[in-house]
């Protein structure tokens, strides 16, 4: 066939068009797999799979030479379907169809034959057969005799093997004496198209008569002989006999011209004895069997025929062969494979063969050591060499794969072949930093351009893939730069630790591969401190506000200082300048404490300067002004100026119109601010609600029009209460208002006022008629009797109570020095002592009246509860405790740094100071000033605390506040208190 003739289509023949669509790494490709050095007879179009004839001529006779039995000739090749996703290895078998390209030829151009003269008509004589390499119809089909002269004819017979043998037929009697030689032509023709033929000269000699032909004892013999049989080895002995005698009985053995030249070359036939021996070394792989057609002739016309079939048996004399057919085209004998090649990447088709047979031809193929490749069987004795593991250029760059093939013979024979695979580097390794975390320390105030360190990284790849560039990450501050090539990190600006102490950012190492790979590392730059900052006060000037009763060594306030530096450079020591001994300051905590007691009335403020110095080698310092303002404390009770005595009275006419001011009370307070602001209220004696008082001015006005039943003496208990914090103080006074038309008997009214002191304030005292003293005396007598009975009961109850409370009273007397009750001034104390002596003298004569001196009752009605129905509080005090209950002082105070009614600056100090929140325990005894409360004369004013509570201490901090409110001594059983005896009483 000519070149480029379409033979087949793999795409259609394999139905590859029906394969579902897959994602392919490369287009479908068909590749012919053949041995290096072979010239293929066909070619495959790689893109389409079409099979075409190649330029090499196809010669069936050459391809299938030596085939005796088979008449069909095949040509086999392998083709690979790529890529790996659809990989298939296809074995293609071509049936080579014979064409009539060979003419049949006789063995010689002149055929000599001798025919005895006595040959009968229709006698047949065999002629040499023509040989045609073609097969089938293209082989020998017919013989013709040309110019037979009607004496001879030609017939063709077919042997059991299918060969056509020409036979010469005698058609007329011969007479050697008449003519002993005939010359004619024999033509042979095949059945091909166009038909081919050839001729030979047939020369017939008429010989003398020999009418008996030789006869073989066996006409068919099969012999097995090993292929390693030495030359001269006997193969078989043929036996033939002839009934003739003499020369006509002498048998000559020879090979038929149909015996192949190979057989004639390998075997020798003794023409006399008929012994067949090995002429040359045998090779089963070259020709496994031989047909030897032996003829025995006695010189007659018809030789005897015997077929000897020689089977050459195999011995293991051939080592296996390894045939490598590359799927990936090698470059200079080396397969180049990317290290990113996927698993099962096909490299080559390995075909192992062994010309031996049976076990001797069974071959195994393997590699000699561990490599990331494997041989996967696909066909008999054919293997695909493919990757069995991922390749890594960095670990192994080249593989010399030694392929071994061994047969199963005894002993086995083997063969080896070397296949070189070079791994191509890919950019599959990112750069690796020598240090994944880089820590650098740098003193602040550095010079711009200071080199910090050299950053380095390595890359396991090679070439451009291993070239590294250094970059700063997106989080890198502008204060730093990084050289792309050398990796040197530089500080481009002067750094200040106080602005930023640490810089943490990433640096990148990028290779030059395609695509490039990037790795990052973290850089931590720590700025070391230098003493370049002075201490900083939280305020340029400090103003503290403290109560005047702050104890010595208490806490005034806290000075907070910061230093932006670090370590010893930031350790600040505080001190007071100008050797001020009035105050001390803790060098570390900044707590200011006084060494003196304060008196606002003597000095209202103190000013000094505080110095702060750090601990640097070259220390820095700064100063701040401190002003301490002494704030007033509610330590003075109100003092009544008007009325000046509890024994005075005021006449109120019944005709007075409602709303008329009938009396005005006036009290003063030595404190300042809210502590000196007073509110007035009527807390007792106004049982009919006839009078009201203005809480601010102290004006007592008539609320309603007086009627006859309203006439009489009214003893109003007026309370003056300041608005001090945290606890207000108060005083009370008795205002006597006599409602009547006139004062007809002033002495009697004075006596009535004095007598009524011993009567409780709560019940209202009425008089029917001011001009009927008899009824008044009756009332007084009844009151005295009732009071006497009451006092007796009180004495009895008191005795019982004292018996139960005597241990507590003793303890109270023992701890009298710790009592917080305020002691009256010395003058009043002397006056009380004188009064007590007078009372003791009267006890013997007026025991009941003296008993009445032991108690006094104060009834309090809150100013805002005047209209409540008798909602009052009664305070019963023993007269012997009068000194203790004259006043009460709560000295537990909290020093403040704010003026009254001003914003609370303490919150700022609490948040700005490193010290914990604290409160202060009083640490020193109070100044004498804090123990003395200004009082009204004993005959003018009731003095008491507004709160009755126990002293409590709160707070669990290092400093705490004690808020003490000492309670007035009371009794479990309520006791009615009567008025005192007249005659210059204390109250």
């Amino acid at each position: 066939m000519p070149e480029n003739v379409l033979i087949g289509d793999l795409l259609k023949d394999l139905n590859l068009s029906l394969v579902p669509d897959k994602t392919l790494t490369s287009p479908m490709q068909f590749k012919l797999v053949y041995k290096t050095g072979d010239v293929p007879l066909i070619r495959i179009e790689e893109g389409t799979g079409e099979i075409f004839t190649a330029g090499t001529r196809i010669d069936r006779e050459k391809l299938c030479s030596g085939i005796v039995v088979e008449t069909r000739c095949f040509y086999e090749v392998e083709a690979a379907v790529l890529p790996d996703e659809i990989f298939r290895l296809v074995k293609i078998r071509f049936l080579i169809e014979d064409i009539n390209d060979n003419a049949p030829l006789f063995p010689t151009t002149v055929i000599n034959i001798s025919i005895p003269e006595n040959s009968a008509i229709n006698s047949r004589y065999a002629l040499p057969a023509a040989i045609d390499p073609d097969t089938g119809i293209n082989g020998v089909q017919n013989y013709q005799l040309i110019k037979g002269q009607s004496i001879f004819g030609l017939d063709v017979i077919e042997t059991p093997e299918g060969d056509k043998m020409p036979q010469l037929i005698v058609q007329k009697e011969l007479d050697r004496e008449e003519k002993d030689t005939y010359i004619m032509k024999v033509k042979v023709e095949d059945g091909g198209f166009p038909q081919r033929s050839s001729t030979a000269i047939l020369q017939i000699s008429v010989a003398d008569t020999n009418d008996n032909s030789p006869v073989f004892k066996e006409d068919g013999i099969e012999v097995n002989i090993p292929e390693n049989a030495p030359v001269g080895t006997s193969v078989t002995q043929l036996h033939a006999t002839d009934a003739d005698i003499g020369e006509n009985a002498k048998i000559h053995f020879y090979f038929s011209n149909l015996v192949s030249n190979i057989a004639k070359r390998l075997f020798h036939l003794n023409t006399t004895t008929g012994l067949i021996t090995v002429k040359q070394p045998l090779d089963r792989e070259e020709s496994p069997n031989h047909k030897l057609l032996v003829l025995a002739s006695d010189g007659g016309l018809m030789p005897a025929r015997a077929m000897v079939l020689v089977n050459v048996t195999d011995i293991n004399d051939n080592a296996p062969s390894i045939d490598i057919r590359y799927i990936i085209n090698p470059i200079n004998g080396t397969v180049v494979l990317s290290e990113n090649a996927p698993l099962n990447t096909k490299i080559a088709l390995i075909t192992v063969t062994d010309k031996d047979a049976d076990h001797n031809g069974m071959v195994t193929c393997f590699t000699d050591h561990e490599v990331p490749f494997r041989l996967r069987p696909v066909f008999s004795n054919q293997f695909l060499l493919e990757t069995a593991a991922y390749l890594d250029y960095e670990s192994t760059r080249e593989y010399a794969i030694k392929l071994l093939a061994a047969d199963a013979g005894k002993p086995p024979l083997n063969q080896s072949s070397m296949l070189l695979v070079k791994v191509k580097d890919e950019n599959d390794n990112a750069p690796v930093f020598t240090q994944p975390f880089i820590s650098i320390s740098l003193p602040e105030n550095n010079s711009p351009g200071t080199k910090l360190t050299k950053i380095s990284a390595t890359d396991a790849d090679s070439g451009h893939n291993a070239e590294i560039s250094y970059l700063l990450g997106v989080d890198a501050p502008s204060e730093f730069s990084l050289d792309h090539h050398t990796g040197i990190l530089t500080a481009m600006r002067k750094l200040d630790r106080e602005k930023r102490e640490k810089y943490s950012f990433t640096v990148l190492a990028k290779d030059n591969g395609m695509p490039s790979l990037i790795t990052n590392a973290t850089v931590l730059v720590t700025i070391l401190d230098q003493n370049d900052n002075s201490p900083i006060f939280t305020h340029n000037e400090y103003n503290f506000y403290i109560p005047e009763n702050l104890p010595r060594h208490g806490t005034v306030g806290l000075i907070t200082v910061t230093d932006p530096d670090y370590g010893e450079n930031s350790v600040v020591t505080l001190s007071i300048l100008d050797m001020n001994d009035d105050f001390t300051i803790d060098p570390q905590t900044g707590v200011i404490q006084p060494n003196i007691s304060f008196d606002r009335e003597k000095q209202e403020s103190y000013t000094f300067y505080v110095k702060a110095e750090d601990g640097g080698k070259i220390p820095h310092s700064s100063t701040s002004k401190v002003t301490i303002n002494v704030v007033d404390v509610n330590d003075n009770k109100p003092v009544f100026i008007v009325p000046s005595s509890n024994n005075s009275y005021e006449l109120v006419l019944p005709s007075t119109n409602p709303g008329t001011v009938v009396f005005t009370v006036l009290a003063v307070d030595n404190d300042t601010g809210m502590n000196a602001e007073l509110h007035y209220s009527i807390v007792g004696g106004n049982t009919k609600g006839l009078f009201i008082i203005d809480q601010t001015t102290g004006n007592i006005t008539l609320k309603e029009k007086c009627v006859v039943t309203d006439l009489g003496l009214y003893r109003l208990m007026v309370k003056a209460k300041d608005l001090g914090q945290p606890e207000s103080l108060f005083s009370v006074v008795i205002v006597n208002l006599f409602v009547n038309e006139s004062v007809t008997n002033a002495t009697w009214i004075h006596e009535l006022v004095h007598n009524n002191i011993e009567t409780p304030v709560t019940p209202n005292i009425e008089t029917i008629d001011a001009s009927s003293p008899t009824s008044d005396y009756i009332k007084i007598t009844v009151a005295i009797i009732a009071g006497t009975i009451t006092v007796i009961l009180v004495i009895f109850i008191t005795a019982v109570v004292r018996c139960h409370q005597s241990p507590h009273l003793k303890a109270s007397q023992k701890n009298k020095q710790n009592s917080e009750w305020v002691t009256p001034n010395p003058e009043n104390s002397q006056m009380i002592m004188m009064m007590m002596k007078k009372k003791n003298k009267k006890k013997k004569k007026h025991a009941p009246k003296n008993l009445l001196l032991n108690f006094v009752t104060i009834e309090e009605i809150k100013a805002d509860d005047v209209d409540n129905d008798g909602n009052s509080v009664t305070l019963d005090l023993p007269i012997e405790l009068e000194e203790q209950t004259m006043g009460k002082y709560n000295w537990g105070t909290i020093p403040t740094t704010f003026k009254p009614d001003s914003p609370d600056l303490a919150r700022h100090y609490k948040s700005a100071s490193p010290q914990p929140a604290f409160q202060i325990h009083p640490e020193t005894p109070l100044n004498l000033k804090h123990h003395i409360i200004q009082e009204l004369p004993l005959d003018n004013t009731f003095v008491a605390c507004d709160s009755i509570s126990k002293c409590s201490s709160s707070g669990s901090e290092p400093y705490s506040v004690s808020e003490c409110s000492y309670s007035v001594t009371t009794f479990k059983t309520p006791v009615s208190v009567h008025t005192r005896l007249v005659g210059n009483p204390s109250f």
Side-chain angles (χ1 to χ4, degrees):
M1 296 182 73
E3 187 179 3
N4 294 329
V5 175
L6 179 63
I7 302 172
D9 190 337
L10 289 179
L11 187 64
K12 292 180 180 179
D13 294 342
L14 298 177
N15 292 325
L16 293 181
S17 59
L18 301 178
V19 176
D21 293 338
K22 294 184 179 180
T23 302
L24 304 180
T25 56
S26 61
M28 183 184 296
Q29 184 180 6
F30 299 84
K31 191 165 186 180
L32 188 63
V33 181
Y34 57 90
K35 186 177 180 179
T36 303
D38 286 353
V39 179
L41 301 180
I42 55 97
R43 69 176 180 85
I44 297 178
E45 191 70 24
E46 293 187 354
T48 63
E50 293 177 330
I51 305 174
F52 295 89
T53 56
T56 305
R57 180 179 180 274
I58 302 172
D59 189 350
R60 188 194 68 86
E61 288 73 23
K62 182 178 180 181
L63 286 175
C64 300
S65 62
I67 297 177
V68 177
V69 179
E70 289 191 8
T71 59
R72 304 179 71 181
C73 181
F74 293 95
Y75 171 65
E76 293 182 354
V77 294
E78 288 84 17
V81 181
L82 301 175
D84 285 345
E85 290 84 349
I86 58 171
F87 177 83
R88 293 179 63 179
L89 186 64
V90 183
K91 184 182 288 291
I92 307 173
R93 174 179 288 183
F94 297 87
L95 175 61
I96 307 300
E97 296 180 351
D98 184 45
I99 64 170
N100 193 23
D101 57 343
N102 292 282
L105 296 175
F106 288 98
T108 61
T109 57
V110 177
I111 301 173
N112 291 308
I113 186 172
S114 178
I115 298 175
E117 60 179 347
N118 59 348
S119 297
I121 295 176
N122 295 325
S123 297
R124 295 174 177 267
Y125 295 93
L127 295 180
I131 298 174
D132 194 336
D134 297 327
T135 62
I137 194 66
N138 295 325
V140 175
Q141 296 297 322
N142 190 30
Y143 292 88
Q144 291 181 12
L145 186 62
I146 301 173
K147 297 180 181 181
Q149 303 173 12
S150 70
I151 297 175
F152 299 94
L154 191 67
D155 189 17
V156 179
I157 63 172
E158 189 171 348
T159 66
E161 292 78 21
D163 297 327
K164 290 180 171 57
M165 302 294 294
Q167 289 185 349
L168 185 66
I169 302 175
V170 177
Q171 295 180 346
K172 291 182 179 181
E173 294 181 352
L174 299 177
D175 187 356
R176 187 190 65 83
E177 288 71 357
E178 183 178 351
K179 189 174 183 178
D180 60 348
T181 302
Y182 296 88
I183 297 175
M184 57 196 71
K185 289 183 178 181
V186 178
K187 181 179 181 182
V188 60
E189 296 176 336
D190 60 22
F193 183 84
Q195 190 179 51
R196 295 180 180 272
S197 63
S198 63
T199 60
I201 297 173
L202 178 59
Q203 185 173 335
I204 302 172
S205 298
V206 180
D208 193 26
T209 303
N210 184 10
D211 54 355
N212 289 291
S213 298
V215 176
F216 280 101
K217 186 177 180 181
E218 296 174 331
D219 57 0
I221 300 173
E222 185 173 356
V223 180
N224 294 327
I225 186 170
E227 62 177 327
N228 64 343
V231 175
T233 300
S234 174
V235 177
T236 188
Q237 175 68 58
L238 297 178
H239 299 278
T241 60
D242 194 314
D244 293 326
I245 60 174
E247 290 298 326
N248 291 331
K250 187 180 288 186
I251 300 174
H252 175 74
F253 297 93
Y254 60 95
F255 288 128
S256 168
N257 65 325
L258 294 179
V259 176
S260 65
N261 293 329
I262 297 175
K264 292 177 180 179
R265 176 171 57 83
L266 297 176
F267 299 98
H268 175 262
L269 177 59
N270 190 309
T271 58
T272 304
T273 63
L275 177 64
I276 301 176
T277 58
V278 177
K279 183 179 180 180
Q280 289 185 3
L282 302 178
D283 188 355
R284 188 204 67 81
E285 291 71 35
E286 181 180 354
S287 295
N289 47 57
H290 302 274
K291 287 183 178 182
L292 303 178
L293 182 58
V294 179
L295 301 179
S297 176
D298 60 358
L301 297 177
M302 293 297 294
R305 294 164 49 90
M307 180 63 71
V308 178
L309 179 59
V310 180
N311 295 318
V312 181
T313 59
D314 183 59
I315 63 170
N316 193 23
D317 61 343
N318 289 280
S321 64
I322 300 175
D323 180 23
I324 301 175
R325 304 179 186 183
Y326 291 97
I327 296 175
I328 297 177
N329 293 330
I331 300 175
N332 296 327
T334 302
V335 174
V336 178
L337 196 59
S338 169
E339 66 175 325
N340 287 342
L343 291 177
N344 305 323
T345 298
K346 280 65 180 176
I347 300 172
L349 175 65
I350 309 299
T351 302
V352 291
T353 57
D354 194 316
K355 295 180 180 180
D356 295 323
D358 300 327
H359 285 285
N360 297 331
M362 295 176 63
V363 183
T364 57
C365 187
F366 52 91
T367 57
D368 66 335
H369 60 277
E370 289 295 328
V371 289
F373 303 95
R374 66 183 171 205
L375 293 170
R376 181 165 64 87
V378 285
F379 298 120
S380 177
N381 291 340
Q382 286 189 310
F383 304 86
L384 276 175
L385 179 64
E386 60 186 11
T387 56
Y390 292 105
L391 305 179
D392 188 0
Y393 171 85
E394 288 70 37
S395 62
T396 307
R397 301 187 178 186
E398 190 174 85
Y399 294 92
I401 305 173
K402 187 175 183 180
L403 301 175
L404 294 175
D407 59 27
K410 293 183 180 181
L413 301 178
N414 57 65
Q415 182 65 274
S416 66
S417 181
M418 194 68 69
L419 189 148
L420 298 178
V421 176
K422 186 175 182 181
V423 181
K424 178 184 177 184
D425 182 42
E426 301 290 348
N427 192 26
D428 59 344
N429 288 279
V432 176
F433 282 96
T434 55
Q435 292 179 277
F437 181 82
I438 304 167
S439 181
I440 306 168
S441 297
L442 173 69
E444 63 178 330
N445 304 321
N446 60 289
S447 301
T450 301
K451 295 181 179 179
L452 305 182
T453 188
K454 185 178 185 300
I455 296 172
S456 62
T458 59
D459 195 311
D461 294 321
S462 62
H464 287 288
N465 296 333
E467 295 177 359
I468 299 175
S469 299
Y470 299 95
L471 304 169
L472 287 173
V474 294
D475 60 342
S478 59
E479 286 84 353
F480 302 94
S481 69
L482 183 64
D483 190 283
H484 296 329
H485 302 291
T486 64
I488 294 177
L489 182 66
T490 305
M492 302 304 296
R493 300 179 186 174
K494 180 180 178 180
L495 303 177
D496 188 353
R497 190 203 67 83
E498 287 70 41
K499 292 182 179 178
R500 188 168 179 180
E501 183 178 1
K502 293 181 183 296
Y503 295 86
S504 181
F505 53 90
T506 56
V507 292
L508 308 176
K510 175 183 178 183
D511 60 29
N512 291 335
M514 293 297 292
S516 61
L517 299 178
I518 300 176
T519 304
N520 60 56
T522 300
V523 176
L524 177 63
V525 180
T526 302
I527 309 304
L528 302 179
D529 183 57
Q530 292 184 337
N531 192 24
D532 56 348
N533 290 278
S534 298
I536 300 172
F537 288 91
T538 55
H539 294 79
N540 295 329
E541 182 176 347
Y542 292 86
N543 286 282
F544 296 102
Y545 293 85
I546 60 172
E548 60 178 327
N549 63 343
L550 179 69
R552 183 177 298 178
H553 304 305
T555 299
V556 172
L558 179 69
I559 298 294
T560 304
V561 183
T562 60
D563 194 315
D565 292 323
Y566 181 74
E568 292 295 328
N569 297 331
S570 65
V571 176
V572 179
T573 302
L574 296 170
S575 61
I576 298 177
L577 298 178
D578 302 330
M579 300 298 292
N580 189 322
D581 295 332
D582 293 343
F583 299 91
T584 60
I585 186 169
D586 190 291
Q588 280 75 40
T589 64
V591 176
I592 299 176
Q593 294 178 314
N595 293 328
I596 59 174
S597 298
F598 298 103
D599 189 349
R600 185 191 61 80
E601 288 73 25
K602 291 182 180 180
Q603 186 171 347
E604 294 185 353
S605 65
Y606 299 84
T607 301
F608 53 87
Y609 286 87
V610 173
K611 176 183 177 183
E613 183 175 86
D614 61 29
K617 292 183 179 179
I618 302 177
H620 291 72
S621 64
S622 57
T623 60
S624 179
K625 181 180 179 182
V626 177
T627 301
I628 299 175
N629 301 286
V630 182
V631 180
D632 182 48
V633 174
N634 190 22
D635 54 356
N636 291 285
K637 294 184 177 181
V639 177
F640 279 99
I641 306 299
V642 178
S644 61
S645 173
N646 290 330
N647 296 327
S648 62
Y649 70 92
E650 188 72 21
L651 177 65
V652 179
L653 298 177
S655 60
T656 303
N657 294 324
T660 302
V661 177
V662 297
F663 191 77
T664 301
V665 296
L666 176 63
V668 296
D669 194 314
N670 288 336
D671 295 320
T672 60
M674 297 295 291
N675 296 333
E677 186 174 338
L678 303 180
H679 281 181
Y680 299 97
S681 62
I682 299 174
V683 296
N686 192 21
T687 56
K688 292 185 178 183
L690 194 59
F691 303 97
I692 59 174
I693 188 169
D694 187 294
Q695 69 172 2
T696 304
T697 63
N699 291 333
I700 301 175
T701 60
L702 188 63
K703 184 179 180 182
E704 299 176 354
K705 186 68 175 178
C706 293
V707 295
V708 177
T709 58
D710 294 333
L711 300 181
L713 179 63
Y714 292 86
R715 298 178 66 248
L716 302 181
M717 182 179 290
V718 177
K719 177 181 176 181
K721 176 183 177 182
D722 61 29
L723 301 182
Q725 294 294 333
E727 182 179 294
S728 62
L729 302 178
F730 68 90
S731 298
V732 294
V733 70
I734 301 297
V735 177
N736 297 293
L737 297 179
F738 186 63
V739 180
N740 205 357
E741 291 294 342
S742 63
V743 179
T744 57
N745 191 345
T747 302
W748 175 80
I749 295 174
H750 279 290
E751 184 179 354
L752 183 63
V753 169
H754 284 288
N755 291 338
N756 284 339
I757 291 178
E758 299 178 2
T759 305
V761 178
T762 302
N764 189 31
I765 301 174
E766 298 183 4
T767 180
I768 300 174
D769 188 1
S771 60
S772 57
T774 303
S775 61
D776 290 334
Y777 284 123
I778 294 172
K779 291 180 180 181
I780 292 173
T781 302
V782 172
I784 291 174
I785 294 172
T788 301
I789 297 172
T790 303
V791 168
I792 293 172
L793 292 174
V794 169
I795 291 173
F796 176 75
I797 295 172
T798 302
V800 174
V801 172
R802 286 178 177 271
C803 289
H804 288 284
Q805 294 183 347
S806 58
H808 301 285
L809 293 175
K810 289 180 181 179
S812 176
Q813 291 174 0
K814 183 178 181 180
N815 297 327
K816 189 173 183 180
Q817 59 181 357
N818 295 328
S819 175
E820 296 302 328
W821 297 100
V822 180
T823 305
N825 58 39
E827 295 179 358
N828 291 339
S829 299
Q830 293 175 4
M831 188 179 296
I832 291 172
M833 294 299 294
M834 293 174 64
M835 292 173 60
M836 294 298 292
K837 290 179 181 180
K838 291 180 180 180
K839 292 177 182 178
N840 291 332
K841 292 178 181 180
K842 295 180 180 180
K843 280 184 180 181
K844 297 178 181 179
K845 299 179 180 180
H846 308 284
K849 294 183 180 180
N850 290 338
L851 290 173
L852 293 175
L853 290 173
N854 290 327
F855 298 90
V856 65
T857 298
I858 301 173
E859 182 180 5
E860 176 183 351
I861 301 176
K862 296 183 179 179
D864 53 355
D865 295 336
V866 173
D867 296 333
N868 293 344
D869 297 335
N871 187 9
S872 63
V873 177
T874 301
L875 179 64
D876 297 330
L877 303 175
I879 195 66
E880 63 182 348
L881 298 178
E882 194 172 278
E883 282 189 344
Q884 299 178 20
T885 59
M886 287 298 293
K888 179 169 67 73
Y889 173 66
N890 179 1
W891 52 268
T893 57
I894 301 175
T896 60
T897 57
F898 56 92
K899 296 179 179 179
D901 301 326
S902 65
D904 186 2
L905 297 179
R907 293 184 179 179
H908 168 77
Y909 296 123
K910 184 176 181 180
S911 61
S913 171
Q915 302 300 322
F918 60 86
Q919 295 173 321
I920 307 152
H921 278 300
E923 298 179 3
T924 59
L926 291 177
N927 197 337
L928 182 61
K929 173 183 179 299
H930 303 113
H931 291 271
I932 300 175
I933 305 300
Q934 186 174 356
E935 303 166 336
L936 288 176
L938 291 178
D939 58 347
N940 184 35
T941 309
F942 285 95
V943 181
C945 288
D946 191 29
S947 174
I948 302 172
S949 62
K950 290 289 184 181
C951 177
S952 62
S953 177
S954 64
S956 60
E957 299 291 339
Y959 302 91
S960 63
V961 174
S962 294
E963 298 180 353
C964 297
S965 299
Y966 294 89
S967 61
V968 178
T969 304
T970 60
F971 295 92
K972 295 181 180 179
T973 305
V975 180
S976 300
V977 180
H978 302 282
T979 58
R980 294 176 179 231
L981 294 174
V982 294
N984 199 16
S986 297
F987 287 88

